[in-house]
Amino acid sequence: MSRPDVVDSVAELRARIRDWRRDGQRIALVPTMGALHDGHLSLIKIALERADRCVVSIFVNPTQFAPSEDLDKYPRQVARDLDMLTMAKADLAFTPDVNEMYPPGFATKISVGGPSAGLETDFRPTFFDGVATVVAKLLLQAAPDFAIFGEKDYQQLCVVKQLCRDLDLPVEIIGAPTIRDAHGLAMSSRNAYLDEAELQTARQFNLILRKAATALAAGAGQEETIAEASRALIVAGFQKVDYVEARESLTLAPWRHDRMGRVLAAAWLGKTRLIDNVDVSTA
Ligand code: PAF
């Protein structure tokens, strides 16, 4: 199995992609912050079903972390990541450093409205500005035909789609289903922070959200159902629930029963914050 080439400058990235384009090849980008797991591998698989070449960016983006968050602690394991990319048959890894992405004097911030309102933004007010800024840069640097984002970060996926629509970025954004362990826990690089007892609790997260989504789909009252899900998370062992909310699937506006819906939640287990979401119609 051949290892993917690794480039760490925008100039090299563009040169590689220019060569592929000259041969008429289609390019997919999978943006990541590294610490790759099966969820990322599923994104690469989808990328390679659509495109001839898959570029994976690995960049722990400082602008999406608040000063109080886990930027320093965020798992970094590039050698292992490259092994995973070899297995997944990715063609190229783009591993810029902070200076390459944000050189001295960098002074631009992209702020997306619409689906960024509420949910994560209530608790991480600068998060989506950081995500939108880095994703816009990556999309302009690689200029791919497709970019793949996991539905695990559902609000992020909606924000990225809005960004591309509003700025006429010529890329198709593809949402990929969440990959879960045998107990329903969504794969996340932050699961690495959980001890055994926390892992047991974390595995109830999706079950509780699915129960709420099933109740909503069957016509149960929204307020009671959401309150019950929050209570159930605390009973399961989560220390704090940031939010449990039902939103419209496409716009993330408050959900009404005649619309496609999504239940989204964030909750704390010790020092680890987990997020997950489920579809109301298929729960
Ligand atoms: O989902 C992530 O890993 C990050 O938010 C992303 C999209 C790579 C931007 O840094």
Side-chain angles (χ1 to χ4, degrees), residues 25 41 45 99 163 168 177 193-194 198 224 248 253-254 262:
Q25 300 190 23
L41 298 191
K45 185 160 179 283
N99 242 330
L163 166 79
D168 304 308
Y193 301 152
L194 302 174
E198 289 170 340
E224 309 85 271
E248 261 183 39
R262 203 96 194 172

Side-chain angles (χ1 to χ4, degrees), residues 16-214:
R16 295 301 302 267
I17 289 177
R18 199 178 313 123
D19 289 346
W20 290 333
R21 288 263 179 233
R22 203 170 291 136
D23 295 339
Q25 300 190 23
R26 286 181 317 164
I27 318 292
L29 173 69
V30 177
T32 81
M33 298 206 300
L36 302 180
H37 50 65
D38 286 352
H40 295 109
L41 298 191
S42 77
L43 305 185
I44 296 168
K45 185 160 179 283
I46 290 172
L48 286 169
E49 282 162 10
R50 301 257 182 160
D52 305 296
R53 298 287 182 175
C54 174
V55 180
V56 178
S57 61
I58 298 178
F59 178 62
V60 182
N61 173 37
T63 64
Q64 70 191 72
F65 288 78
S68 60
E69 291 180 351
D70 56 346
L71 175 63
D72 293 339
K73 184 172 110 164
Y74 197 85
R76 288 165 174 83
Q77 43 195 43
V78 175
R80 191 176 161 276
D81 287 347
L82 293 178
D83 290 341
M84 303 269 289
L85 293 185
T86 306
M87 267 166 33
K89 300 192 170 64
D91 296 281
L92 185 66
F94 176 46
T95 58
D97 65 12
V98 174
N99 242 330
E100 182 71 10
M101 292 300 271
Y102 301 112
F106 186 91
T108 296
K109 182 166 74 185
I110 297 188
S111 193
V112 177
S116 71
L119 303 170
E120 287 298 295
T121 298
D122 286 342
F123 298 88
R124 309 177 74 193
T126 58
F127 174 64
F128 285 123
D129 288 354
V131 169
T133 304
V134 82
V135 168
K137 281 178 67 77
L138 290 165
L139 293 177
L140 291 165
Q141 290 163 348
D145 300 279
F146 310 101
I148 329 294
F149 292 82
E151 285 185 350
K152 149 94 183 355
D153 296 281
Y154 193 81
Q155 191 178 12
Q156 168 175 278
L157 171 64
C158 296
V159 168
V160 168
K161 284 184 174 165
Q162 182 83 40
L163 166 79
C164 293
R165 249 195 329 270
D166 289 353
L167 297 187
D168 304 308
L169 296 181
V171 53
E172 187 181 336
I173 302 300
I174 295 163
T178 303
I179 301 297
R180 302 179 181 281
D181 75 2
H183 310 271
L185 175 63
M187 298 279 172
S188 163
S189 306
R190 289 189 170 99
N191 291 351
Y193 301 152
L194 302 174
D195 65 26
E196 193 48 44
E198 289 170 340
L199 195 60
Q200 297 309 323
T201 300
R203 285 179 168 150
Q204 309 217 33
F205 197 8
N206 185 248
L207 209 64
I208 290 167
L209 297 187
R210 281 216 318 268
K211 199 169 159 210
T214 307

Side-chain angles (χ1 to χ4, degrees), residues 218-231:
Q222 200 175 143
E223 218 171 291
E224 309 85 271
T225 306
I226 294 300
E228 175 51 35
S230 283
R231 256 194 313 275

